[in-house]
Amino acid sequence: MEKFIRHTGVGVPLRRSNVDTDQIIPAVYLKRVTRTGFEDGLFAAWRGDETFVLNNPAFASGSVLVAGPDFGTGSSREHAVWALKDYGFKAVLSSRFADIFRGNSGKQGLLTGQLSQDDIELIWKALENAPGTEVTVDLDQRVVTCGEIVAPMQVDDYTRWRLMEGLDDIGLTLRHTDAIDDFEAGRPSHKPRTLV
Amino acid sequence: MGKTLAEKVWDAHVVRRAEGEPDLLYIDLHLVHEVTSPQAFDGLRLAGRPVRRPDLTLATEDHNTPTLDIDKPIADLTSRTQIETLRRNCQEFGVRIHSLGDVEQGIVHVVGPQLGLTQPGLTVVCGDSHTSTHGAFGALAFGIGTSEVEHVLATQTLPLRPFKTMAINVEGTLKPGVTAKDIILAVIAKIGTGGGQGYVLEYRGSALAGLSMESRMTICNMSIEAGARAGMIAPDETTFAYIDGRPHAPKGKEWDAALEYWRTLYTDDDAVFDAEVTIDADELEPFVTWGTNPGQGLPLSASVPDPESFADESEKAAARRALEYMALEAGTPLRDIAVDTVFIGSCTNGRIEDLRAAAAVVKGRKKADSVRVLVVPGSAKVRLQAEQEGLDKVFTEFGAEWRHAGCSMCLGMNPDQLAPGERSASTSNRNFEGRQGKGGRTHLVSPLVAAATSVRGTLSSPADLEPVG
Ligand code: SF4
């Protein structure tokens, strides 16, 4: 997993609250057998509406999603995170995230930064006044800057450490490969094997 | 203080323990099937990681496989893609696979025990909630999600917080015609579909000692329907005899060493469970479900309950909704409920003993004209064994359809489905709305009840049948 320390990219104002994982990616996209290519399912139900923010060319290359409160509620599908990442988003900012979504994001290297709703509103206005404006998300310093706006960002210590080290769950476990090797060396030989 | 069986197995697999962190648990056996594995393999590919222990991993095709015309290409595109993807992944990563048409193909939870891979004291995982089945051997076996599948493939371990333990004491003697399925349906009705949440259930007591391994698997299989992470039964001579001589059973000195270890796998007398429940086996009767979750069950002699009779408001609402979906009237005797389809199969009741029990009931009879009867062996080996015993003839002469192995109508991912409004008596494990097909109505039953029901056309036990004359 790539390390996340600081990122600057086009901010996308998503003026909606309670965006659930069904809206992030509808169930019909779940039948796939790959881990990539979910960008076409991202916000699929809204993409047909030409006024939808991602249909504005100035926002289309966005990488920082600035969303309303209660982002990521509903079913626990990991595909929601894959879809956002596959589209090119590196960070989602909101005043409140659903727990499971936040957990899934941390594991997959997508930053979920919590800002006050007041700061979200300020950033929304800045982005809407000048579409294509860049936002800098500094995980090291835990601040978001957008033009003149400097907003403190909450990210818990553990998630911040993992993202800055670029460790997914498997990466975390693989740090203990020595312990796994040792354990394996002591396994009784009567335990079954599928290959002979 | 002593340890419970679950704690003994857990403690023997801790790779790393650190304050405030989950234990890192070693996994002895990882079973894989086509539905929950594709993205796990793809994740490995993206990160450039290998499968750490292909020699502790085994894949089968089961959820999507057709049970007719198995030599033809699979018609449904999603099903075919999942199966072809599994085959490619197994080849790329060096994982052994039993594909459709292979003599060892079958439902993953039937195949593991059948090969002798499922053994006491192992940790077993699979991306499937009915992995609890393997607990019948005294293994700690539980279902995991796709990202955990990837984690096990890459590291052969899982970070986990310990489960709580619950004893389910089943004391007494079962009446004739009462089976393992009736025990577990009664347990779920008693503790509820959420009653086991966070627990490993250990089934114990005098009624279990006499049960075959097949019956024990039926019980552990449905632990998940009580919300539990896993179900376990301490291994005994029945367990050892079942494993002895199977393809992957330890041999010679290894067998002796294994046996010595297996004999230590029981709950110590002074161990303490976090919770205990007792079931009186003498009182049990054939059990059937009337609603849309496995906890909504009653003895066959009862009637459809009145939703207003439930004390709890949410149960009342659930019962009302269930009766509406099931198109049942409160007060109707369960025995009067007519079904359209009888399904005998699944990882709950698709083993040779289940087929033998059902065949013994239907032998020399004709099925009711109004029902279609599907018999789907849990594995290709079970099918072969049954054919050697002539059970296929018993079923076909009775008027049943004799199919190839797979999950089939348990979840209707293949063409074996209920039509909207159709009603089934099914030996599977889930009676959720739409589980066996959109709009389908499911009554969960034992193989004996399924067989008797296919004779009479309404929910019945073998005791309701006229003697064959
Ligand atoms: S038979 Fe049913 S419950 Fe068992 S593994 Fe297959 S789909 Fe799941």
Side-chain angles (χ1 to χ4, degrees):
Chain A
M1 207 165 87
E2 237 176 277
K3 293 184 181 180
F4 191 119
I5 298 179
R6 196 170 299 103
H7 170 77
T8 302
V10 170
V12 178
L14 183 69
R15 272 196 188 264
R16 295 182 197 241
S17 58
N18 269 300
V19 175
D20 66 42
T21 53
D22 262 293
Q23 293 168 315
I24 299 174
I25 186 160
V28 291
Y29 291 90
L30 309 190
K31 288 187 181 169
R32 299 209 172 139
V33 290
T34 55
R35 266 284 293 278
T36 50
F38 285 92
E39 63 274 13
D40 58 343
L42 180 69
F43 302 128
W46 300 333
R47 297 268 279 276
D49 170 3
E50 49 186 68
T51 65
F52 180 59
V53 60
L54 286 182
N55 291 330
N56 178 340
F59 291 123
S61 63
S63 60
V64 179
L65 186 67
V66 188
D70 294 311
F71 189 86
T73 52
S75 112
S76 63
R77 62 186 64 150
E78 292 168 84
H79 306 69
V81 179
W82 301 341
L84 286 160
K85 279 185 59 182
D86 289 350
Y87 185 87
F89 284 108
K90 305 275 187 242
V92 183
L93 307 176
S94 166
S95 63
R96 206 157 53 218
F97 290 96
D99 279 341
I100 295 180
F101 176 80
R102 185 172 20 206
N104 287 343
S105 298
K107 289 178 187 182
Q108 309 277 349
L110 177 71
L111 171 66
T112 50
Q114 200 176 329
L115 271 57
S116 73
Q117 187 58 31
D118 289 347
D119 285 336
I120 294 278
E121 302 274 354
L122 288 175
I123 297 174
W124 275 345
K125 281 205 195 94
L127 296 177
E128 284 160 357
N129 288 339
T133 299
E134 291 194 330
V135 176
T136 295
V137 182
D138 187 334
L139 180 57
D140 186 28
Q141 299 297 320
R142 289 191 246 221
V143 288
V144 172
T145 43
C146 173
E148 300 292 294
I149 308 160
V150 179
M153 171 176 73
Q154 283 181 40
V155 179
D156 69 84
D157 291 343
Y158 179 70
T159 306
R160 173 172 172 271
W161 169 75
R162 282 182 63 162
L163 288 168
M164 290 186 63
E165 295 287 324
L167 289 169
D168 60 8
D169 267 2
I170 294 174
L172 272 177
T173 295
L174 289 176
R175 287 157 53 100
H176 306 300
T177 301
D178 288 352
I180 302 174
D181 291 343
D182 286 351
F183 184 91
E184 281 180 336
R187 284 178 82 233
S189 55
H190 61 72
K191 296 257 185 179
R193 284 163 194 260
T194 57
L195 302 175
V196 273
Chain B
M1 196 175 73
K3 289 183 186 178
T4 62
L5 169 61
E7 288 160 349
K8 284 184 182 176
V9 178
W10 183 284
D11 289 349
H13 290 84
V14 176
V15 170
R16 178 175 177 273
R17 181 169 278 171
E19 184 65 25
E21 290 182 43
D23 283 351
L24 192 61
L25 214 64
Y26 198 81
I27 303 302
D28 288 316
L29 179 63
H30 185 190
L31 302 169
V32 173
H33 65 85
E34 76 273 17
V35 178
T36 51
S37 66
Q39 274 126 359
F41 281 111
D42 210 32
L44 292 185
R45 207 174 284 123
L46 287 175
R49 290 170 175 144
V51 172
R52 181 180 173 94
R53 296 295 301 264
D55 61 332
L56 303 183
T57 312
L58 177 74
T60 67
E61 299 167 5
D62 53 9
H63 282 65
N64 282 288
T65 54
T67 58
L68 287 173
D69 299 329
I70 62 169
D71 47 346
K72 303 223 173 81
I74 299 171
D76 181 78
L77 186 63
T78 307
S79 297
R80 196 169 68 223
T81 308
Q82 288 188 346
I83 284 177
E84 284 170 357
T85 306
L86 180 68
R87 289 178 189 173
R88 252 185 286 118
N89 285 333
C90 286
Q91 187 173 26
E92 179 181 339
F93 289 91
V95 171
R96 169 173 158 195
I97 178 171
H98 291 299
S99 289
L100 189 59
D102 180 316
V103 68
E104 296 293 355
Q105 177 266 340
I107 306 172
V108 68
H109 310 309
V110 177
V111 171
Q114 174 179 291
L115 285 169
L117 282 169
T118 304
Q119 296 175 12
L122 301 186
T123 44
V124 182
V125 299
C126 174
D128 185 277
S129 50
H130 294 95
T131 309
S132 57
T133 313
H134 307 266
F137 292 79
L140 183 62
F142 49 92
I144 54 178
T146 297
S147 55
E148 292 170 305
V149 171
E150 183 182 340
H151 199 283
V152 177
L153 288 172
T155 69
Q156 204 57 34
T157 63
L158 269 183
L160 286 168
R161 305 212 178 260
F163 307 145
K164 293 180 285 178
T165 58
M166 183 187 295
I168 308 278
N169 305 306
V170 192
E171 300 290 352
T173 317
L174 293 176
K175 284 188 274 218
V178 181
T179 66
K181 184 68 163 278
D182 306 309
I183 295 179
I184 188 62
L185 285 174
V187 168
I188 300 165
K190 177 155 180 160
I191 70 175
T193 50
Q197 223 144 44
Y199 288 95
V200 180
L201 310 183
E202 183 185 333
Y203 304 94
R204 45 214 317 261
S206 53
L208 289 190
L211 292 184
S212 66
M213 288 316 295
E214 282 88 346
S215 293
R216 294 179 194 186
M217 283 188 255
T218 300
I219 293 177
C220 288
N221 173 275
M222 288 189 70
S223 304
I224 180 75
E225 308 314 334
R229 279 309 299 262
M232 294 179 95
I233 296 175
D236 60 11
E237 297 306 319
T238 307
T239 320
F240 310 145
Y242 182 96
I243 299 169
D244 195 5
R246 289 186 182 265
H248 288 271
K251 310 266 167 351
K253 280 206 182 65
E254 297 287 5
W255 173 262
D256 299 336
L259 205 57
E260 192 182 328
Y261 171 54
W262 294 348
R263 290 195 199 282
T264 67
L265 296 171
Y266 53 83
T267 291
D268 295 327
D269 286 341
D270 57 345
V272 181
F273 288 93
D274 297 308
E276 282 202 56
V277 170
T278 298
I279 301 274
D280 186 351
D282 299 306
E283 294 295 307
L284 289 181
E285 286 182 50
F287 225 79
V288 303
T289 61
W290 50 266
T292 50
N293 73 55
Q296 290 175 322
L298 280 171
L300 180 60
S301 55
S303 299
V304 176
D306 182 350
E308 302 312 312
S309 66
F310 292 94
D312 182 278
E313 272 311 315
S314 67
E315 274 185 55
K316 241 183 230 176
R320 254 185 243 124
R321 177 162 170 81
L323 291 198
E324 194 187 325
Y325 180 84
M326 295 294 289
L328 292 173
E329 292 281 338
T332 309
L334 295 171
R335 273 200 171 83
D336 290 353
I337 297 174
V339 306
D340 310 295
T341 294
V342 171
F343 172 64
I344 300 174
S346 86
C347 61
T348 312
N349 283 125
R351 297 183 179 77
I352 189 69
E353 180 188 271
D354 303 309
L355 301 190
R356 284 184 193 136
V361 173
V362 304
K363 188 167 185 165
R365 301 179 191 272
K366 285 279 174 243
K367 73 168 181 70
D369 289 338
S370 54
V371 291
R372 131 176 103 136
V373 185
L374 236 62
V375 185
V376 184
S379 70
K381 268 276 168 67
V382 169
R383 184 178 144 106
L384 276 180
Q385 170 80 30
E387 289 179 352
Q388 271 161 21
E389 297 178 19
L391 305 185
D392 57 325
K393 298 230 166 42
V394 173
F395 285 119
T396 47
E397 278 162 19
F398 172 67
E401 298 174 41
W402 178 246
R403 296 291 188 90
H404 285 276
C407 294
S408 178
M409 199 183 270
C410 174
L411 87 169
M413 266 184 102
N414 75 353
D416 308 339
Q417 297 183 11
L418 294 181
E422 238 188 297
R423 186 183 299 281
S424 78
S426 175
T427 66
S428 55
N429 46 52
R430 283 184 172 159
N431 53 341
F432 301 155
E433 289 184 16
R435 167 82 175 180
Q436 297 190 291
K438 197 159 179 279
R441 301 173 174 136
T442 304
H443 296 273
L444 299 177
V445 300
S446 73
L448 291 180
V449 170
T453 300
S454 58
V455 176
R456 294 215 323 157
T458 58
L459 294 177
S460 312
S461 78
D464 300 324
L465 303 180
E466 307 283 335
V468 187

Coordinates of all heavy atoms in Angstrom, one line a residue, chain B residues 89-142:
Chain B
N89 N -7.3 -18.9 -10.8 CA -6.6 -18.5 -9.6 C -5.9 -19.7 -9.0 O -4.7 -19.5 -8.5 CB -7.6 -17.9 -8.6 CG -8.0 -16.5 -9.0 OD1 -7.2 -15.8 -9.7 ND2 -9.2 -16.1 -8.6
C90 N -6.5 -20.8 -8.9 CA -5.9 -22.0 -8.3 C -4.7 -22.4 -9.1 O -3.6 -22.7 -8.5 CB -6.9 -23.1 -8.2 SG -8.1 -22.8 -6.9
Q91 N -4.8 -22.3 -10.4 CA -3.6 -22.7 -11.2 C -2.5 -21.7 -11.0 O -1.3 -22.1 -10.8 CB -4.0 -22.8 -12.7 CG -2.9 -23.3 -13.5 CD -3.3 -23.6 -14.9 OE1 -4.3 -22.9 -15.4 NE2 -2.7 -24.5 -15.6
E92 N -2.8 -20.5 -11.0 CA -1.8 -19.4 -10.9 C -1.1 -19.5 -9.5 O 0.1 -19.3 -9.4 CB -2.4 -18.1 -11.1 CG -1.4 -16.9 -11.0 CD -2.0 -15.6 -11.2 OE1 -3.1 -15.5 -11.8 OE2 -1.4 -14.6 -10.7
F93 N -1.9 -19.8 -8.5 CA -1.3 -19.7 -7.1 C -0.9 -21.1 -6.6 O -0.5 -21.2 -5.4 CB -2.2 -19.0 -6.2 CG -2.3 -17.5 -6.4 CD1 -3.2 -17.0 -7.3 CD2 -1.4 -16.6 -5.8 CE1 -3.3 -15.6 -7.6 CE2 -1.4 -15.3 -6.1 CZ -2.4 -14.7 -6.9
G94 N -1.1 -22.1 -7.4 CA -0.7 -23.5 -6.9 C -1.6 -24.1 -5.9 O -1.1 -24.8 -5.0
V95 N -2.9 -23.8 -5.9 CA -3.8 -24.3 -5.0 C -4.6 -25.5 -5.6 O -5.0 -25.5 -6.7 CB -4.9 -23.2 -4.5 CG1 -6.0 -23.8 -3.7 CG2 -4.2 -22.1 -3.8
R96 N -4.7 -26.6 -4.8 CA -5.4 -27.8 -5.2 C -6.9 -27.5 -5.4 O -7.5 -26.9 -4.5 CB -5.2 -28.9 -4.2 CG -6.1 -30.1 -4.4 CD -5.6 -31.2 -3.5 NE -6.6 -32.2 -3.2 CZ -6.6 -33.1 -2.2 NH1 -5.6 -33.0 -1.4 NH2 -7.6 -33.9 -2.0
I97 N -7.5 -27.9 -6.5 CA -8.9 -27.6 -6.7 C -9.6 -28.9 -7.1 O -9.1 -29.7 -7.9 CB -9.1 -26.5 -7.7 CG1 -10.6 -26.2 -8.0 CG2 -8.4 -26.8 -9.0 CD1 -10.9 -25.0 -8.8
H98 N -10.8 -29.1 -6.6 CA -11.7 -30.1 -7.1 C -12.8 -29.5 -7.9 O -13.8 -29.0 -7.3 CB -12.2 -31.0 -6.0 CG -11.1 -31.8 -5.3 ND1 -10.3 -32.7 -6.0 CD2 -10.5 -31.7 -4.1 CE1 -9.4 -33.2 -5.3 NE2 -9.5 -32.6 -4.1
S99 N -12.7 -29.6 -9.2 CA -13.7 -29.0 -10.1 C -14.8 -29.9 -10.4 O -14.8 -31.1 -10.2 CB -13.0 -28.6 -11.4 OG -12.0 -27.6 -11.2
L100 N -15.9 -29.2 -11.0 CA -17.0 -30.0 -11.4 C -16.6 -31.1 -12.3 O -15.8 -31.0 -13.2 CB -17.9 -29.0 -12.2 CG -19.3 -29.5 -12.6 CD1 -20.1 -29.8 -11.3 CD2 -20.0 -28.4 -13.4
G101 N -17.2 -32.3 -12.0 CA -16.8 -33.5 -12.8 C -15.7 -34.3 -12.1 O -15.6 -35.5 -12.3
D102 N -15.0 -33.7 -11.2 CA -13.9 -34.4 -10.4 C -14.6 -35.3 -9.3 O -15.6 -34.9 -8.8 CB -13.1 -33.3 -9.8 CG -11.9 -33.9 -8.9 OD1 -12.1 -34.8 -8.1 OD2 -10.8 -33.3 -9.1
V103 N -14.1 -36.4 -9.0 CA -14.7 -37.3 -8.1 C -14.7 -36.8 -6.7 O -15.6 -37.2 -5.8 CB -14.0 -38.7 -8.1 CG1 -12.6 -38.7 -7.6 CG2 -14.9 -39.8 -7.4
E104 N -13.8 -35.8 -6.4 CA -13.8 -35.2 -5.0 C -14.6 -33.9 -5.0 O -14.5 -33.2 -3.9 CB -12.4 -35.0 -4.5 CG -11.6 -36.3 -4.3 CD -12.1 -37.2 -3.2 OE1 -13.0 -36.8 -2.5 OE2 -11.6 -38.3 -3.0
Q105 N -15.2 -33.5 -6.1 CA -15.9 -32.2 -6.0 C -17.1 -32.3 -5.1 O -17.7 -33.4 -4.9 CB -16.4 -31.9 -7.5 CG -17.2 -30.6 -7.6 CD -18.7 -30.8 -7.5 OE1 -19.2 -32.0 -7.8 NE2 -19.5 -29.8 -7.2
G106 N -17.5 -31.2 -4.6 CA -18.7 -31.2 -3.7 C -18.8 -30.0 -2.9 O -17.9 -29.1 -3.0
I107 N -19.8 -29.9 -2.0 CA -19.9 -28.8 -1.1 C -18.6 -28.8 -0.2 O -18.3 -29.8 0.4 CB -21.1 -28.8 -0.2 CG1 -22.4 -29.0 -1.1 CG2 -21.3 -27.6 0.6 CD1 -23.7 -29.2 -0.4
V108 N -18.0 -27.7 -0.1 CA -16.8 -27.5 0.6 C -16.8 -28.2 2.0 O -15.9 -28.8 2.5 CB -16.4 -26.0 0.6 CG1 -17.3 -25.2 1.5 CG2 -14.9 -25.8 1.0
H109 N -18.0 -28.1 2.7 CA -18.1 -28.6 4.1 C -18.4 -30.1 4.1 O -18.3 -30.7 5.2 CB -19.1 -27.8 4.9 CG -18.9 -26.4 4.8 ND1 -17.7 -25.7 5.0 CD2 -19.8 -25.4 4.4 CE1 -17.9 -24.4 4.8 NE2 -19.1 -24.2 4.4
V110 N -18.6 -30.6 3.0 CA -18.8 -32.1 2.9 C -17.4 -32.7 2.5 O -17.0 -33.7 3.0 CB -19.9 -32.5 1.9 CG1 -20.0 -34.0 1.8 CG2 -21.2 -31.9 2.3
V111 N -16.7 -32.0 1.6 CA -15.5 -32.5 1.1 C -14.3 -32.6 2.1 O -13.6 -33.6 2.2 CB -15.0 -31.6 -0.1 CG1 -13.6 -32.0 -0.6 CG2 -16.0 -31.8 -1.3
G112 N -14.2 -31.5 2.9 CA -13.1 -31.5 3.9 C -13.1 -32.7 4.8 O -12.2 -33.5 4.9
P113 N -14.3 -33.0 5.5 CA -14.4 -34.2 6.4 C -14.2 -35.5 5.6 O -13.6 -36.4 6.1 CB -15.8 -34.1 6.9 CG -16.1 -32.7 6.9 CD -15.5 -32.1 5.6
Q114 N -14.8 -35.5 4.4 CA -14.7 -36.8 3.6 C -13.3 -37.2 3.2 O -13.0 -38.3 3.2 CB -15.6 -36.4 2.4 CG -15.6 -37.4 1.3 CD -16.6 -36.8 0.2 OE1 -17.8 -36.7 0.4 NE2 -16.0 -36.5 -0.9
L115 N -12.4 -36.1 3.0 CA -11.1 -36.4 2.7 C -10.2 -36.7 3.9 O -9.0 -37.1 3.8 CB -10.4 -35.2 1.9 CG -10.9 -35.0 0.5 CD1 -10.4 -33.7 0.0 CD2 -10.3 -36.1 -0.4
G116 N -10.8 -36.5 5.1 CA -10.0 -36.7 6.3 C -9.1 -35.5 6.6 O -8.3 -35.6 7.4
L117 N -9.4 -34.4 5.9 CA -8.6 -33.2 6.2 C -9.1 -32.5 7.4 O -8.3 -31.8 8.2 CB -8.7 -32.2 5.0 CG -7.9 -32.5 3.8 CD1 -8.3 -31.7 2.6 CD2 -6.4 -32.3 4.1
T118 N -10.4 -32.6 7.7 CA -10.9 -32.0 8.9 C -10.6 -32.9 10.1 O -11.0 -34.1 10.1 CB -12.5 -31.8 8.8 OG1 -12.7 -31.1 7.6 CG2 -13.1 -31.2 10.0
Q119 N -9.9 -32.4 11.0 CA -9.4 -33.2 12.2 C -9.5 -32.5 13.5 O -9.6 -31.2 13.5 CB -7.9 -33.6 12.0 CG -7.7 -34.5 10.7 CD -6.3 -34.8 10.5 OE1 -5.4 -34.5 11.3 NE2 -6.0 -35.4 9.3
P120 N -9.6 -33.2 14.6 CA -9.7 -32.5 15.9 C -8.6 -31.5 16.1 O -7.4 -31.8 15.7 CB -9.6 -33.7 16.9 CG -10.1 -34.9 16.1 CD -9.6 -34.6 14.7
G121 N -8.9 -30.5 16.8 CA -7.8 -29.5 17.3 C -7.3 -28.6 16.2 O -6.4 -27.8 16.4
L122 N -7.9 -28.7 15.0 CA -7.4 -27.7 13.9 C -8.1 -26.4 14.0 O -9.2 -26.3 14.6 CB -7.7 -28.3 12.5 CG -7.1 -29.6 12.1 CD1 -7.4 -29.9 10.6 CD2 -5.6 -29.7 12.4
T123 N -7.5 -25.4 13.5 CA -8.3 -24.2 13.1 C -8.6 -24.3 11.6 O -7.7 -24.5 10.8 CB -7.5 -22.9 13.4 OG1 -6.1 -23.1 12.9 CG2 -7.4 -22.6 14.9
V124 N -9.9 -24.1 11.3 CA -10.3 -24.2 9.9 C -11.1 -23.0 9.6 O -12.0 -22.6 10.3 CB -11.3 -25.5 9.8 CG1 -11.7 -25.6 8.3 CG2 -10.6 -26.7 10.3
V125 N -10.8 -22.4 8.5 CA -11.6 -21.2 8.0 C -12.0 -21.4 6.6 O -11.4 -22.2 5.8 CB -10.9 -19.9 8.2 CG1 -10.5 -19.6 9.6 CG2 -9.6 -19.8 7.3
C126 N -13.0 -20.7 6.2 CA -13.5 -20.7 4.8 C -14.4 -19.4 4.6 O -15.0 -19.0 5.6 CB -14.3 -21.9 4.5 SG -15.1 -22.0 2.9
G127 N -14.4 -18.9 3.5 CA -15.2 -17.7 3.2 C -16.7 -18.1 3.1 O -17.3 -17.9 2.0
D128 N -17.2 -18.7 4.1 CA -18.5 -19.2 4.1 C -19.0 -19.5 5.6 O -18.3 -20.1 6.3 CB -18.6 -20.6 3.4 CG -20.0 -21.1 3.2 OD1 -20.5 -21.7 4.2 OD2 -20.6 -20.8 2.2
S129 N -20.2 -19.0 5.9 CA -20.6 -19.0 7.3 C -20.8 -20.4 7.9 O -20.7 -20.6 9.1 CB -21.8 -18.1 7.5 OG -22.8 -18.5 6.6
H130 N -21.1 -21.4 7.0 CA -21.3 -22.7 7.5 C -20.1 -23.5 7.7 O -20.1 -24.8 7.9 CB -22.4 -23.4 6.6 CG -23.7 -22.8 6.7 ND1 -24.1 -21.8 5.8 CD2 -24.7 -22.8 7.7 CE1 -25.3 -21.3 6.2 NE2 -25.6 -21.9 7.3
T131 N -18.9 -22.8 7.8 CA -17.7 -23.5 8.1 C -17.7 -24.1 9.5 O -17.0 -25.0 9.9 CB -16.5 -22.4 8.0 OG1 -16.6 -21.8 6.8 CG2 -15.2 -23.1 8.2
S132 N -18.7 -23.6 10.3 CA -18.9 -24.2 11.6 C -19.1 -25.7 11.6 O -18.9 -26.4 12.6 CB -20.1 -23.5 12.3 OG -21.2 -23.6 11.5
T133 N -19.5 -26.2 10.5 CA -19.7 -27.7 10.3 C -18.5 -28.5 10.9 O -18.7 -29.5 11.5 CB -19.9 -28.0 8.8 OG1 -20.8 -27.1 8.2 CG2 -20.3 -29.4 8.6
H134 N -17.3 -28.0 10.5 CA -16.1 -28.8 10.9 C -15.8 -28.9 12.4 O -15.0 -29.7 12.8 CB -14.9 -28.2 10.1 CG -15.1 -28.0 8.7 ND1 -14.8 -29.0 7.7 CD2 -15.8 -27.0 7.9 CE1 -15.1 -28.5 6.5 NE2 -15.7 -27.4 6.6
G135 N -16.6 -28.0 13.1 CA -16.4 -28.1 14.6 C -16.9 -29.4 15.2 O -16.6 -29.7 16.3
A136 N -17.6 -30.2 14.4 CA -18.1 -31.5 14.8 C -17.0 -32.4 15.2 O -17.1 -33.4 15.9 CB -19.0 -32.1 13.8
F137 N -15.8 -32.1 14.7 CA -14.6 -32.9 14.9 C -13.8 -32.4 16.1 O -12.7 -32.9 16.4 CB -13.7 -33.0 13.7 CG -14.4 -33.8 12.6 CD1 -15.3 -33.2 11.8 CD2 -14.0 -35.1 12.3 CE1 -15.9 -33.9 10.7 CE2 -14.6 -35.8 11.3 CZ -15.6 -35.2 10.5
G138 N -14.2 -31.4 16.8 CA -13.4 -30.7 17.8 C -12.4 -29.8 17.2 O -11.4 -29.5 17.8
A139 N -12.7 -29.3 16.0 CA -11.9 -28.2 15.4 C -12.5 -26.9 15.7 O -13.7 -26.8 15.9 CB -11.8 -28.4 13.9
L140 N -11.7 -25.8 15.7 CA -12.3 -24.5 15.8 C -12.4 -23.9 14.4 O -11.4 -23.6 13.7 CB -11.3 -23.6 16.6 CG -11.9 -22.2 16.9 CD1 -13.1 -22.2 17.7 CD2 -10.8 -21.4 17.6
A141 N -13.7 -23.9 13.9 CA -13.9 -23.7 12.5 C -14.9 -22.6 12.4 O -16.0 -22.6 12.9 CB -14.4 -25.0 11.8
F142 N -14.6 -21.6 11.6 CA -15.5 -20.4 11.4 C -15.4 -19.8 10.1 O -14.4 -19.8 9.4 CB -15.3 -19.4 12.6 CG -13.8 -19.0 12.8 CD1 -13.3 -17.9 12.1 CD2 -13.0 -19.8 13.6 CE1 -12.0 -17.6 12.3 CE2 -11.6 -19.4 13.7 CZ -11.2 -18.3 13.1

